Amino acid sequence: MRIIRMLGRSIRDAFKSVIRNFSLSLASISCITITLIIVAIAVMASFNVQNFTKEIEKDLTIVIFLNNESTEDDVARVEQELREIPNIDKSSITFESKQEVKESMQKESEVFDTVLNEWSEDESPLKDTFQVKVKNVEQISSTAERIEKIEQVNTVRYGEGMVDQMITAFSSIEKVTYGVVIALVIVTVFLIINTIKLTISARRREIGIMRLVGASNFTIKTPFIVEGMILGLLGSIVPVIFTTYGYLAFYNHFDGYLFTQLIQLIKPEPFIYSTAGIVIVIGILVGMVGSAGAVRKYLKI
Amino acid sequence: MDLIRLKNVEKKYKNGVTAIYDLNLAIEKGSFTFVIGGSGSGKSTLIKMLYREEKPTRGQIIVGGLDVAKLRNTKVYKLRRKLGIVFQDYRLLPKLTVYENVAFAMEVIGATKEVTRKNVLRALEEVGLKNKVHNYPDQLSGGEQQRVAIARAIVNNPKLLLCDEPTGNLDPERSMEIMKVLDNINKTRGTTIIMATHDKEIVNSMQKQVVTLKDGHLVNFKKKGTYIDENN
Ligand SMILES: Nc1ncnc2c1ncn2[C@@H]1O[C@H](COP(=O)(O)OP(=O)(O)OP(=O)(O)O)[C@@H](O)[C@H]1O
Ligand SMILES: [Mg+2]
């Protein structure tokens, strides 16, 4: 009951203070707005990157061609060795014998059909093949190298070398984005610290009297922390609008795919709402941390 | 019973000045005490240590059962709620009315509106300002402003009222009015009052107990005393 009354007072005071120091508040709010827009872009980009990395990973297969002369024993042994490689998803291991490959190719086209029929069993370039999927795509090349060392394995192929580069690029893009976001958040926190410091200094006399008459530190601090949270909340309005409508427009403009069919964007709903939620939470947290920092440094209580 | 007890209290400021040397003092509950002495004798320092604005560098200070010297920063408010403080410069909030200034002291400790209203009006009546509740501080005389400050100091019914030169800015007539208000609070509420001053007239006419400081040393503690001019 008492807490609620005090909180009510804090919120009222905080709004008054935001209005009284309007130009300064506006500076902080703008800074939070810019930061949050970039945070929103980063969040949406990184979720999308994660999403299509996952999509690509799902389809990414290593194809293992055995030597022409491989026997059935060899096949069984290779399969056993494949099972022992930790990065290989055991349930994904599939085998196609020369004969099966031939049949499936023949089914695909008549040209293949005639060509393949002219080769005898021994001259046929077709090989026994395994197909496996990996658990961690970033380690796909080392896994492939390990497979190549298995006896009777002739060649190992996966995603033409492009895919793992793409995935590595994505993950470094993500890291850079996180770096930029963290830097921006820190800058914003400092800006808020300064704003709140100024509002504290404008109310120094009042705070001094509050302390004299026995206000607890909690009572003195709360209005400033609430003020910081309100700055954060006001600063997240534009970014939230930007996030929801911006992503929707972006998604519709590209019909849900970026550049190629390979890169599929996340469906806007409920994605935009969760992103908006993240943006609001970050805004409020940034405001809170900034003002708590200012209060601690400046009031020394 | 003693409300305040000081044992071997020493205060040395960071700049090396020692403002209080080895002070031992006990103040009884319900008493009225003047702290006198020349400029720089340590009166304000003593008062500040009692409300934990300054910490003693040595010794023990007990106020109403609280070990003030050991009180952590975050707990200082507990001491402040047991006492009221009045300064020479009133320290009112200019944008608040008389009523609001006094109510402020109750609001920030979370009192309900009804209790606040009752206490504020009672306190303002005691200092004789019931007819000026809606005025702002700049519409009041110095003496009236100081009476608002006194009302604010007693509104939470503290056991102890500390005053540092409350009449320092006032002419003799206004000063005597303030003294009457303080004496009345001491008598009707039983509030223990400690008042630092260097106003001879006041000390001599009030006939209360007197603590005399000189260059940080306690030189005299009289139960019913007059101003001792240590220079003669
Ligand atoms: N914050 C401080 N830092 C350093 N020295 C101080 C501080 N406050 C007071 N002093 C010194 O401590 C001594 C006692 O000061 P104090 O203010 O207690 O004297 P006082 O008796 O109240 O004087 P006055 O009658 O002029 O108000 C003085 O020498 C003063 O210079
Ligand atoms: Mg003084």
Side-chain angles (χ1 to χ4, degrees):
Chain A
M1 194 44 219
R2 226 180 89 182
I3 297 280
I4 292 170
R5 197 165 47 241
M6 236 148 70
L7 217 65
R9 211 175 94 97
S10 292
I11 292 170
R12 193 189 65 203
D13 287 355
F15 268 110
K16 270 192 206 159
S17 173
V18 168
I19 292 164
R20 199 161 40 214
N21 305 302
F22 186 69
S23 55
L24 205 66
S25 301
L26 200 65
S28 294
I29 292 169
S30 318
C31 192
I32 295 172
T33 299
I34 292 164
T35 301
L36 288 181
I37 287 176
I38 293 166
V39 167
I41 293 172
V43 166
M44 292 189 291
S46 109
F47 275 125
N48 268 294
V49 166
Q50 274 173 21
N51 183 54
F52 44 73
T53 305
K54 224 183 280 158
E55 292 293 319
I56 291 167
E57 284 173 5
K58 247 192 264 165
D59 297 336
L60 196 60
T61 338
I62 300 183
V63 184
I64 302 147
F65 301 92
L66 303 188
N67 286 333
N68 284 26
E69 68 270 16
S70 60
T71 63
E72 272 179 33
D73 283 351
D74 288 330
V75 170
R77 190 181 39 75
V78 170
E79 176 167 0
Q80 186 53 41
E81 288 194 36
L82 288 176
R83 284 181 173 281
E84 279 161 16
I85 296 175
N87 196 31
I88 289 178
D89 179 4
K90 288 183 188 60
S91 64
S92 71
I93 300 175
T94 53
F95 175 73
E96 258 184 314
S97 67
K98 283 176 232 189
Q99 200 52 41
E100 285 165 338
V101 175
K102 187 174 169 184
E103 277 164 17
S104 69
M105 283 177 89
Q106 280 172 330
K107 244 180 260 162
E108 246 169 66
S109 107
E110 280 176 36
V111 185
F112 279 151
D113 188 21
T114 44
V115 172
L116 288 170
N117 274 331
E118 284 180 11
W119 281 321
S120 72
E121 183 79 5
D122 287 343
E123 1 168 79
S124 165
L126 294 177
K127 299 174 170 72
D128 288 332
T129 61
F130 277 103
Q131 292 194 8
V132 298
K133 288 184 177 172
V134 292
K135 293 174 188 159
N136 183 352
V137 178
E138 283 182 51
Q139 286 169 16
I140 196 168
S141 50
S142 65
T143 304
E145 274 168 31
R146 198 165 156 187
I147 294 169
E148 263 175 348
K149 290 201 188 93
I150 299 173
E151 223 175 299
Q152 290 298 335
V153 168
N154 183 293
T155 8
V156 176
R157 286 250 181 286
Y158 60 93
E160 324 284 324
M162 176 269 253
V163 172
D164 63 327
Q165 278 170 25
M166 198 156 98
I167 286 165
T168 315
F170 283 162
S171 80
S172 43
I173 289 171
E174 249 188 287
K175 277 173 198 146
V176 170
T177 319
Y178 287 144
V180 170
V181 167
I182 289 168
L184 267 165
V185 165
I186 289 171
V187 169
T188 313
V189 165
F190 275 104
L191 211 100
I192 292 172
I193 286 181
N194 280 313
T195 310
I196 301 289
K197 266 189 190 171
L198 275 158
T199 71
I200 292 174
S201 113
R203 292 179 57 189
R204 272 208 126 145
R205 194 183 169 82
E206 193 181 333
I207 292 165
I209 293 168
M210 283 171 93
R211 302 198 68 192
L212 278 182
V213 299
S216 66
N217 292 349
F218 176 80
T219 313
I220 298 173
K221 282 177 188 174
T222 308
F224 297 109
I225 290 171
V226 171
E227 185 176 337
M229 290 165 74
I230 287 172
L231 290 178
L233 190 66
L234 293 176
S236 62
I237 293 173
V238 173
V240 162
I241 295 170
F242 172 85
T243 304
T244 45
Y245 290 96
Y247 188 76
L248 213 58
F250 183 79
Y251 187 87
N252 290 337
H253 183 259
F254 288 102
D255 282 330
Y257 293 97
L258 200 58
F259 312 127
T260 77
Q261 293 290 108
L262 193 65
I263 301 178
Q264 193 179 353
L265 296 170
I266 301 173
K267 292 211 165 52
E269 285 188 40
F271 178 60
I272 47 174
Y273 303 123
S274 47
T275 309
I278 291 172
V279 165
I280 292 174
V281 168
I282 292 177
I284 291 176
L285 277 181
V286 163
M288 202 170 93
V289 169
S291 56
V295 164
R296 251 193 48 194
K297 270 195 209 145
Y298 214 60
L299 291 182
K300 292 215 181 79
I301 51 177
Chain B
M1 228 182 87
D2 295 334
L3 181 68
I4 297 172
R5 215 173 301 141
L6 288 88
K7 237 164 133 185
N8 305 110
V9 172
E10 179 199 84
K11 175 65 190 179
K12 190 172 180 179
Y13 283 108
K14 284 204 185 77
N15 62 1
V17 176
T18 305
I20 296 285
Y21 294 90
D22 195 37
L23 181 62
N24 290 288
L25 193 64
I27 304 284
E28 241 170 70
K29 217 175 238 177
S31 61
F32 194 130
T33 313
F34 285 115
V35 179
I36 62 169
S39 191
S41 58
K43 304 183 293 294
S44 295
T45 303
L46 172 58
I47 301 270
K48 280 178 186 163
M49 285 194 294
L50 292 178
Y51 67 91
R52 182 53 170 68
E53 177 72 18
E54 295 288 351
K55 264 184 171 177
T57 34
R58 218 156 48 78
Q60 192 187 43
I61 300 178
I62 307 284
V63 175
L66 280 176
D67 193 339
V68 176
K70 286 203 185 117
L71 205 59
R72 297 197 8 222
N73 259 343
T74 51
K75 300 283 179 241
V76 168
Y77 75 93
K78 291 191 170 168
L79 170 70
R80 302 278 169 89
R81 287 180 188 190
K82 288 177 187 272
L83 48 84
I85 314 162
V86 176
F87 299 95
Q88 182 170 358
D89 57 358
Y90 324 133
R91 302 203 190 173
L92 302 175
L93 291 167
K95 285 184 184 150
L96 301 186
T97 64
V98 167
Y99 180 90
E100 288 163 345
N101 261 291
V102 180
F104 184 77
M106 299 213 68
E107 270 172 32
V108 297
I109 66 170
T112 62
K113 268 216 166 68
E114 306 82 69
V115 176
T116 301
R117 196 177 155 74
K118 197 179 117 247
N119 285 16
V120 171
L121 292 178
R122 182 182 163 206
L124 283 173
E125 187 160 17
E126 271 177 82
V127 300
L129 279 178
K130 223 180 170 182
N131 55 339
K132 303 237 164 147
V133 287
H134 297 304
N135 287 44
Y136 285 89
D138 61 3
Q139 299 168 328
L140 302 177
S141 73
E144 285 168 334
Q145 288 186 52
Q146 190 61 295
R147 283 187 274 152
V148 176
I150 293 169
R152 184 181 64 195
I154 60 169
V155 73
N156 286 322
N157 306 315
K159 291 184 205 156
L160 175 65
L161 181 59
L162 300 173
C163 311
D164 194 355
E165 317 237 10
T167 59
N169 282 347
L170 305 174
D171 60 44
E173 214 171 308
R174 306 282 152 236
S175 297
M176 278 324 292
E177 280 174 25
I178 295 292
M179 291 319 298
K180 262 184 220 146
V181 168
L182 291 178
D183 196 30
N184 190 47
I185 289 167
N186 175 243
K187 283 187 174 129
T188 59
R189 289 179 173 246
T191 311
T192 311
I193 297 183
I194 298 180
M195 170 171 160
T197 185
H198 42 225
D199 190 325
K200 271 182 222 173
E201 299 291 318
I202 287 176
V203 177
N204 289 339
S205 67
M206 298 291 290
Q207 293 293 309
K208 304 289 184 188
Q209 62 182 10
V210 177
V211 170
T212 310
L213 295 176
K214 187 186 178 189
D215 300 331
H217 295 277
L218 175 73
V219 293
N220 203 307
F221 187 18
K222 268 196 184 167
K223 283 291 164 192
K224 235 186 177 60
T226 48
Y227 201 100
I228 301 166
D229 201 340
E230 70 273 10
N231 291 328
N232 330 343

